[in-house]
Amino acid sequence: KQEVTQIPAALSVPEGENLVLNCSFTDSAIYNLQWFRQDPGKGLTSLLLIQSSQREQTSGRLNASLDKSSGRSTLYIAASQPGDSATYLCAVNAGKSTFGDGTTLTVKP
Amino acid sequence: DTAVSQTPKYLVTQMGNDKSIKCEQNLGHDTMYWYKQDSKKFLKIMFSYNNKELIINETVPNRFSPKSPDKAHLNLHINSLELGDSAVYFCASGPTDFYEQYFGPGTRLTVT
């Protein structure tokens, strides 16, 4: 059974800092991994999708990496802004999607 | 243009009632999903449909029955609602099974 863990559960940083969110999974036989953000009371917005054959994906200030053999992915956010405050979820897809519990990020002005 | 839409956004009902939540996607995707997000924000897959056929049916009570009239719609019908059914239900779609997924805004169900 796939288990997905996200560390830390919550993170508070001052504006402008670079930060890393972590996602680990127990079964490395995956198709892909997807990072989402969820704003309070809202749905999930897809940020990045990394295929199992890829090592990283970039979109603007976001960079996601994948090390399938060690069961880890990281989401790097550069020059954080208050608008980045949200809960970030990773989903591991291997026949079905398994989500982590999320990291709640607060970026203080 | 809304990609994945759900109605209603909020649903408050009493125990024992039957209710439905509708989902529509205009992305031309073949696969649609229903997820449940509980009070602890944990998100879990309930059902997956590919081209109107059920692919995954996780361990959910049979009071929950998905219906897909066509590949753009996946509705969720819930019979005999219980307090524990209170949660946010998300519909999602994707081009194929568990590839990139696009989520709807969610339906907050409160059972009193």
Side-chain angles (χ1 to χ4, degrees), chain A residues 59-70:
Chain A
S59 175
R61 295 182 294 108
L62 305 179
N63 176 279
S65 68
L66 175 64
D67 184 343
K68 201 174 70 162
S69 61
S70 66

Side-chain angles (χ1 to χ4, degrees), chain A residues 31-32 34 36 38 41-44 46 48-49 51 89 93-97 99-101, chain B residues 9 35 37 40-43 45 56 58 90 97-106 108:
Chain A
Y31 300 152
N32 56 64
Q34 192 169 2
F36 296 88
Q38 185 175 25
K42 304 287 187 182
L44 280 69
S46 178
L48 290 164
L49 174 74
Q51 297 298 334
L89 296 156
N93 298 322
K96 69 172 188 176
S97 285
F99 278 78
D101 288 347
Chain B
K9 190 171 173 62
Y35 286 87
Q37 189 172 44
K40 295 182 180 180
K41 307 298 184 186
F42 184 61
L43 197 66
I45 182 75
I56 284 182
E58 286 294 292
F90 287 100
D97 292 359
F98 295 103
Y99 193 67
E100 189 164 14
Q101 297 177 63
Y102 298 81
F103 279 72
R108 182 174 293 277

Side-chain angles (χ1 to χ4, degrees), chain A residues 1-5 24-29 71:
Chain A
K1 178 186 174 186
Q2 180 75 268
E3 293 182 4
V4 180
T5 304
S24 61
F25 47 95
T26 54
D27 186 347
S28 62

Side-chain angles (χ1 to χ4, degrees), chain A residues 41-88:
Chain A
K42 304 287 187 182
L44 280 69
T45 301
S46 178
L47 298 173
L48 290 164
L49 174 74
I50 311 178
Q51 297 298 334
S52 62
S53 59
Q54 297 176 321
R55 297 285 292 184
E56 65 179 289
Q57 283 286 337
T58 297
S59 175
R61 295 182 294 108
L62 305 179
N63 176 279
S65 68
L66 175 64
D67 184 343
K68 201 174 70 162
S69 61
S70 66
R72 294 186 183 190
S73 176
T74 62
L75 179 66
Y76 174 83
I77 303 176
S80 58
Q81 302 170 358
D84 295 331
S85 298
T87 296
Y88 290 80

Side-chain angles (χ1 to χ4, degrees), chain B residues 12-92:
Chain B
V12 181
T13 188
Q14 291 184 329
M15 285 176 56
N17 285 347
D18 303 338
K19 290 293 179 185
S20 292
I21 307 172
K22 295 185 176 181
C23 177
E24 177 180 2
Q25 55 97 1
N26 61 8
L27 298 167
H29 289 160
D30 283 338
T31 308
M32 296 184 72
Y33 315 85
W34 276 108
Y35 286 87
K36 179 180 180 180
Q37 189 172 44
D38 61 24
S39 58
K40 295 182 180 180
K41 307 298 184 186
F42 184 61
L43 197 66
K44 188 171 181 181
I45 182 75
M46 298 173 69
F47 300 102
S48 164
Y49 264 74
N50 184 286
N51 219 357
K52 300 197 301 173
E53 290 190 21
L54 181 65
I55 304 299
I56 284 182
N57 179 353
E58 286 294 292
T59 309
V60 297
N62 57 15
R63 299 182 293 104
F64 290 78
S65 54
K67 296 271 193 305
S68 183
D70 54 63
K71 75 172 192 178
H73 296 83
L74 181 62
N75 303 323
L76 184 65
H77 189 75
I78 315 170
N79 289 328
S80 303
L81 279 155
E82 299 177 357
L83 292 176
D85 297 332
S86 296
V88 181
Y89 292 84
F90 287 100
C91 176

